[in-house]
């Protein structure tokens, strides 16, 4: 009896409605070889989806999403679907985040951690893809084109959760597959990068419904539907760009990129040379006199407490002219309520009015786990793990983000390093800021894909807010980004120099800046409810059909047939 029931469970309904799509084949593993093939296909789907992102932009890889949808719905169990999603997610995040291992090679004492960092981060982030696939397999009906609504909604939901659960890690969300500043990327001004990702996955997954057996009339409908969604992204974004009116303010900003290697920065015999390189570039007369000079995150290998009370502070003062402002990243220390020191990763606004003084300070709010703090730090210290990972003390998180005041210039919203990954980070407390200043230390990641991806992700914050962004890094890519996310003057990795640019005016406030992720949540819930309604109707119809069959069999038996 159990064998007969298992065989019945493995059957795929043969009767489908005219507008329904029957799976082309079942991937429910019945042997080790087929299991290996399923995992391999899931891994390839994740790799393809990752390679669709900048800097590669192989958009054919977007077909990885419909492949993941097909694999998830054809597995025999919810647990199997979770495994398929996790495998695809692991390869996606391995390709997207492999550069993390590079940071552990800077210090030879930490090099042993590189393979663990390069594999454990993708393994953790892949749990969200596994969850999306499992939820889809649990809810999906056996047939029907409407299932694509369910897949896109659930995938979008779990992408949003990935950016919010615990501290969140929104690296390379699906929507960021479009290069910032391109026509499709402009849709983020309305629904944010999560909404753009949902629409993108819906479009390519609709195209994927055309794969497999079925009537050409129905398959053509899927192709047309998916193509129309993609065309809407391009045409809608092109319409927004056609109205882009770039206007410049009188404020001149100098972006300093000294090309200081992360290893050389911490060499004691290189310290003075590093300081001189920053101050010489800042004082250079190569262009227009700047009103604001921007240095990267953690520009010098000493804290602000040490710098401002030593020859370094006076050297910085000499590099500035009266009336100029220096924005620079430093770590700083202060005594906590109990007298123990607290450490912050900070952005300083320094004004030269005859003597260098601190005009404003922003303390980083979103800290990098295992980089700037250890989760469960007390346990980590007690078990000795803190000493193993060489994080002697945690940074403290600053207060909720607010714009900083810039003497003689528009207020600015600071973003330090990985804070630029987070949609909705810009605050309007005290009024809308005039621009975003993003300081980062991408030198940790060398000549990998990481810095280019980071630039693309940061530029989405300009699109979402309609604010220009000034971005400074020690080794690249430093850039001016306009309110439509278009990359303007920039310095490539390995280049040393300055960019003297006039600060653009903000674009009008975007819909996303006004309502945040609310538009995304409305679209996601609409698709989810539509998909669930179809799923429930299919399940109810299936049960009625089964019940009717049993009743007919019973009537025949009573009649002696």
């Amino acid at each position: 009896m159990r064998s007969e029931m298992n065989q019945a469970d493995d059957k795929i309904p043969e009767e489908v409605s005219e507008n329904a799509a029957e799976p082309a084949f079942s991937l429910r593993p019945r042997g080790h070889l087929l299991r290996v093939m399923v995992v391999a296909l899931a891994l390839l789907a994740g790799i393809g989806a990752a390679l669709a992102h900048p800097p590669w932009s192989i958009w054919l890889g977007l077909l990885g999403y419909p492949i993941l949808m097909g694999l998830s719905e054809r597995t025999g169990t919810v647990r199997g679907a979770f495994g398929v999603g996790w495998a695809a997610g692991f390869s996606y995040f391995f390709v997207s985040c492999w550069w993390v291992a590079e940071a552990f090679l800077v210090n030879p004492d930490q090099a042993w951690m590189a393979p663990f960092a390069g594999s454990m981060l993708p393994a953790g982030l892949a749990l969200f893809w596994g969850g999306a696939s499992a939820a889809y397999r649990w809810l999906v009906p056996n047939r029907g084109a409407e299932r694509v609504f369910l897949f896109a909604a659930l995938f979008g939901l779990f992408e949003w959760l990935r950016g919010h659960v615990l501290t969140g890690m929104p690296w390379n969300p699906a929507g960021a597959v479009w290069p910032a500043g391109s026509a499709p990327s402009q849709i983020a001004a309305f629904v944010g990068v999560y909404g753009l990702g949902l629409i993108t996955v819906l479009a390519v997954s609709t195209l994927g419904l055309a794969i497999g057996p079925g009537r050409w009339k129905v398959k053509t409908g899927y192709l047309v539907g998916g193509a129309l969604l993609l065309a809407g992204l391009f045409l809608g974004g092109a319409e927004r760009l056609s109205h882009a009116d770039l206007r410049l303010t009188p404020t001149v900003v100098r972006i300093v990129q000294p090309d200081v290697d992360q290893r050389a920065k911490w060499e004691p015999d290189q310290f003075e040379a590093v300081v001189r390189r920053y101050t010489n570039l800042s004082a250079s007369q190569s262009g227009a006199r700047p009103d604001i000079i921007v240095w990267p995150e953690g520009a010098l290998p000493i804290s602000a407490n040490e710098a401002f009370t030593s020859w370094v502070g006076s050297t910085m003062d000499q590099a500035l002219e009266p009336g100029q402002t220096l924005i620079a990243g430093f770590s700083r220390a202060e005594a906590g309520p109990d007298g123990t020191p607290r450490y912050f990763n900070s952005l300083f606004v320094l004004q030269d009015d005859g003597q260098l003084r601190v005009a404003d300070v922003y303390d980083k709010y979103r800290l990098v786990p295992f980089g700037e703090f250890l989760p469960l730090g007390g346990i980590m210290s007690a078990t000795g793990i803190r000493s193993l990972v060489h994080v002697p003390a945690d940074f403290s998180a600053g207060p909720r983000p607010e714009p900083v005041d810039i003497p003689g210039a528009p207020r600015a919203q600071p973003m330090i390093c990985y804070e630029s990954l987070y949609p909705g980070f810009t605050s309007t407390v005290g009024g809308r800021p005039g621009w975003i200043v993003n300081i980062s230390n991408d030198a940790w990641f060398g000549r990998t894909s990481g810095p280019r991806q980071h630039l693309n992700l940061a530029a989405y914050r300009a699109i979402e807010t309609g604010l220009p962004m000034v971005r400074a890094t020690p080794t690249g890519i430093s850039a001016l980004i306009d309110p439509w996310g278009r990359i303007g003057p920039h310095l490539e990795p390995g280049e040393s120099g300055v960019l003297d640019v006039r600060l653009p005016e903000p674009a009008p406030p975007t819909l996303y800046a006004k309502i945040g992720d609310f538009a995304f949540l409305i679209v996601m819930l609409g698709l989810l409810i539509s998909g669930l309604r179809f799923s429930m109707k299919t399940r109810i119809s299936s049960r009625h059909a089964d019940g009717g069959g049993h009743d007919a069999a019973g009537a025949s038996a009573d009649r002696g047939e």
Side-chain angles (χ1 to χ4, degrees):
M1 177 65 72
R2 182 176 300 274
S3 175
E4 293 175 356
M5 291 175 64
N6 289 339
Q7 291 176 6
D9 288 341
D10 284 341
K11 293 180 180 178
I12 297 176
E14 296 180 358
E15 297 179 1
V16 296
S17 62
E18 291 185 0
N19 63 347
E22 180 182 4
F25 54 91
S26 173
L27 288 177
R28 296 173 181 174
R30 296 188 180 90
H32 293 299
L33 179 59
L34 190 53
R35 290 176 187 270
V36 171
M37 291 174 61
V38 169
V39 172
L41 194 55
L43 292 171
L44 288 174
I47 292 171
L51 292 178
H53 282 263
W56 305 286
S57 295
I58 305 173
W59 288 348
L60 186 64
L62 286 170
L63 293 177
Y65 293 111
I67 291 173
L68 175 60
M69 182 180 76
L71 291 174
S72 300
E73 65 193 30
R74 289 169 173 83
T75 54
T77 64
V78 172
R79 185 174 65 179
F82 177 87
V84 163
W86 183 89
F90 178 82
S91 61
Y92 176 88
F93 292 112
F94 186 84
V95 172
S96 297
C97 302
W98 67 271
W99 45 264
V100 169
E102 180 78 12
F104 293 89
L105 300 178
V106 172
N107 183 350
D109 292 337
Q110 293 181 318
W112 65 271
M113 297 173 60
F116 296 97
S119 57
M120 290 179 67
L121 178 63
L125 296 178
L127 296 174
F128 291 94
W129 279 39
S133 296
Y136 174 66
R137 176 61 185 84
W138 182 54
L139 295 170
V140 70
N142 287 329
R143 57 182 184 264
E146 291 85 351
R147 68 190 189 273
V148 75
F149 295 160
L150 200 59
F151 177 75
L154 288 170
F155 192 88
L157 172 61
F158 275 83
E159 281 284 87
W160 185 88
L161 290 173
R162 176 165 69 87
H164 290 80
V165 171
L166 299 178
T167 61
M169 178 54 177
W171 190 270
N172 270 12
V177 68
W178 309 109
S182 66
S185 71
Q186 301 304 308
I187 305 304
F190 304 97
V191 295
V193 73
Y194 294 121
L196 177 56
L198 187 153
I199 297 170
T200 300
V201 171
L202 176 64
V204 296
S205 299
T206 301
L207 292 175
L209 292 176
I211 301 174
R215 295 192 308 166
W216 274 107
K217 181 179 179 181
V218 176
K219 294 167 70 172
T220 301
Y222 298 149
L223 292 174
V224 170
L228 286 175
L229 284 171
L230 289 175
L233 293 180
F234 280 87
L235 294 176
E239 170 67 14
R240 182 171 190 259
L241 287 174
S242 69
H243 297 288
D245 182 16
L246 183 62
R247 298 182 179 182
L248 303 178
T249 69
T251 303
V252 177
V253 179
R254 171 168 292 179
I255 306 171
V256 176
Q257 179 173 302
D259 191 32
V260 175
D261 180 81
Q262 191 65 18
R263 293 181 180 89
K265 171 181 168 181
W266 291 96
E267 294 291 336
D269 59 347
Q270 295 293 316
F271 176 71
E272 183 175 351
V274 171
V275 174
R276 299 293 181 190
R277 187 176 300 186
Y278 272 103
T279 55
N280 289 342
L281 287 171
S282 300
S284 169
Q285 303 298 318
S286 59
R289 179 188 183 277
D291 302 297
I292 301 170
I293 300 170
V294 183
W295 289 5
E297 173 195 20
L300 302 179
I302 57 173
S303 70
N305 308 64
E306 299 169 293
F308 299 161
T309 56
S310 68
W311 66 269
V312 175
S314 59
T315 303
M316 293 167 58
D317 190 9
Q318 293 169 12
L320 269 64
E321 298 177 13
Q324 288 185 318
T325 298
L326 173 64
I327 297 176
F330 282 95
S331 62
R332 71 180 186 91
E334 68 174 27
D338 59 355
T340 58
R342 300 172 66 202
Y343 302 96
F344 297 90
N345 185 356
S346 304
L347 174 147
F348 283 80
V349 180
L350 303 170
Q351 169 72 10
D352 190 333
D353 51 10
Q355 183 177 1
L356 203 62
R357 65 177 180 86
V358 177
D360 210 340
V361 179
Y362 168 79
D363 295 321
K364 189 176 182 183
Y365 176 68
R366 293 275 190 178
L367 301 176
V368 180
F370 299 99
E372 293 171 319
F373 78 101
L374 282 182
L376 305 175
I379 297 175
M380 295 290 188
S381 297
T383 56
I385 296 177
R386 181 181 293 278
S387 61
L388 288 176
V389 298
H390 300 273
V391 181
D394 293 338
F395 279 104
S396 297
R400 295 193 67 84
E402 291 185 13
V404 293
D405 293 317
I406 311 292
R411 299 166 74 237
Q413 175 61 61
M415 294 182 183
I416 299 179
C417 192
Y418 125 124
E419 290 181 323
S420 64
L421 304 185
Y422 291 87
F425 193 85
T426 300
S427 171
T428 56
V429 173
R432 186 187 186 210
W435 55 299
I436 298 169
V437 55
N438 174 215
I439 60 172
S440 185
N441 184 8
D442 291 358
W444 284 104
F445 310 121
R447 304 290 181 87
T448 67
S449 57
R452 296 190 182 278
Q453 291 176 340
H454 200 179
L455 174 68
N456 185 63
L457 296 170
Y460 267 87
R461 308 294 81 81
I463 300 171
E464 291 167 341
T465 60
L467 298 175
M469 174 183 284
V470 169
R471 189 166 192 272
T473 73
T475 56
I477 301 172
S478 301
L480 174 68
I481 303 167
D482 76 10
W484 296 270
R486 297 175 296 193
I487 311 301
H490 60 279
L491 292 169
E492 288 286 337
E495 287 189 82
S496 175
V498 300
L499 294 172
D500 289 329
V501 295
R502 287 175 61 191
L503 187 66
E505 290 184 359
T510 64
L511 177 65
Y512 183 82
K514 296 175 181 177
I515 65 174
D517 285 328
F518 185 73
F520 156 72
L521 293 173
I522 291 296
V523 175
M524 185 271 294
L525 288 174
L527 291 175
L528 187 62
I529 291 171
S530 298
L532 287 174
R533 285 183 62 189
F534 182 78
S535 176
M536 295 301 296
K537 287 171 63 177
T538 302
R539 292 172 188 270
I540 292 172
S541 299
S542 177
R543 289 173 182 170
H544 285 172
D546 291 343
H550 288 308
D551 291 343
S556 298
D558 290 341
R559 290 194 300 267
E561 295 179 0

